[in-house]
Amino acid sequence: MLVTQQKTLRRFWYAIMPMEKLANGPQPFTLLGEPIVIWQKSDGSPAAVRDRCCHRTAKLSKGFVEGDHIVCGYHGWQYDCRGACVKIPQSPGNTIPPGAKVDAFHCQEKYGYVWVALEDPLKPVFEIPEHAAPGYRCIQQFDVRWQTGALRLMENSFDAAHFAFVHKGTFGQFHAQKPEFFEIRETDYGFEAETRLVINNPPASHRITGSTEPTTRRHFRNQWHLPFNRRLGLSYPNGLEHLIVTCATPIDDAHIQILQWLYRNDSEADCPASELNDWDLRVIAEDKEILETVDADAPVDVSRRMEQNMAADQPGLIMRRRLLALLQAHGEQEVHRATAQA
Ligand code: FES
Ligand code: CO
């Protein structure tokens, strides 16, 4: 599926970057192949328009912010958050030619991140009750660009068959264990996969699971939210709750931005954020190494038989079926490299 060619994907909210980045001025980003610029208005809320001035096509992200407006760095034309040109400094009486505007996109702040939808969103950003729950802290983990596809990262997040191979250097001993319980339930937002199994505690990082024992029992509630978000809830017998939110935001057909953050019902003294981040950075570096070698264009129509499958691929196969159904419900077919070139 070439994500930039599937119009329905433009109708979802995507996490773009932490809000703090906007303190450094307008920020460029490419979402589904669309160059956008994001800036912060005087009330603190973010705004997003196409990153191309309608005067002489300069990138607005090279400009600066004045009040609520973004100012082009070339000749100073100013735009509001709806993309309308509202000021031309050289124009007597500030006469604005009809049609002087750029496309604007839906933009909001949520959970400390900027979210953008290129067209009218089909549904709101998924809920994270822990964000406002008392006793929880939020830890931003990473915001990095990878050369892979969004579906590739999503299915990897639910793929227990790779642990013993890709993660043999960190936590990947799961192949020796059978989960006590595994169930996958489809929902309107995607699916929830529930697992209970015993894991090895991260060596020398017992504070991550709050247990000094060599192993601990972990209860996973791993949700996939269409199209490319997951929330992984981990519960431990000692009452510790650890929630991982991972967004695979499609930059173009061959790249994604991974944004990941955590919620925990403990404190910095119980487990320093740096310890959690160091461990998870080691884990995702293992995934990156292999995911940057796969074809970013993951097929969603399995009847094309582009790839072979096994029983353990069930989560990824449900994702493909649901994504294909989503496209078809909006009158689209899957566009892949062969059809795009035809
Ligand atoms: Fe933007 Fe001229 S190119 S003001
Ligand atoms: Co992995």
Side-chain angles (χ1 to χ4, degrees), residues 143-255:
D143 167 29
V144 289
R145 177 187 162 104
W146 282 12
Q147 185 180 316
T148 193
L151 176 54
R152 296 298 189 191
L153 182 75
M154 276 299 108
E155 71 171 334
N156 170 273
S157 304
F158 292 84
D159 168 15
H162 81 284
F163 296 160
F165 299 92
V166 172
H167 298 300
K168 57 181 176 293
T170 51
F171 70 95
Q173 298 88 354
F174 291 176
H175 66 298
Q177 302 166 0
K178 223 172 156 335
E180 292 167 7
F181 177 84
F182 177 78
E183 196 173 273
I184 193 157
R185 292 182 287 267
E186 286 197 54
T187 60
D188 59 337
Y189 60 75
F191 62 70
E192 178 172 76
E194 189 174 352
T195 312
R196 274 194 297 272
L197 51 76
V198 176
I199 61 151
N200 291 322
N201 277 318
S205 306
H206 70 269
R207 290 183 291 196
I208 290 176
T209 60
S211 165
T212 51
E213 302 296 320
T215 63
T216 192
R217 178 169 282 105
R218 197 187 237 186
H219 188 175
F220 296 69
R221 274 196 208 85
N222 202 1
Q223 296 177 352
W224 169 57
H225 289 258
L226 274 157
F228 307 124
N229 302 301
R230 72 116 184 216
R231 76 154 266 151
L232 169 54
L234 303 173
S235 304
Y236 295 99
N238 57 6
L240 177 66
E241 298 284 338
H242 178 118
L243 172 66
I244 308 175
V245 180
T246 310
C247 301
T249 296
I251 293 173
D252 56 28
D253 290 321
H255 299 89

Side-chain angles (χ1 to χ4, degrees), residues 281-292:
L281 280 167
R282 275 182 59 194
V283 173
I284 72 148
E286 293 173 330
D287 288 309
K288 181 173 196 264
E289 181 79 15
I290 202 88
L291 281 177
E292 291 201 329

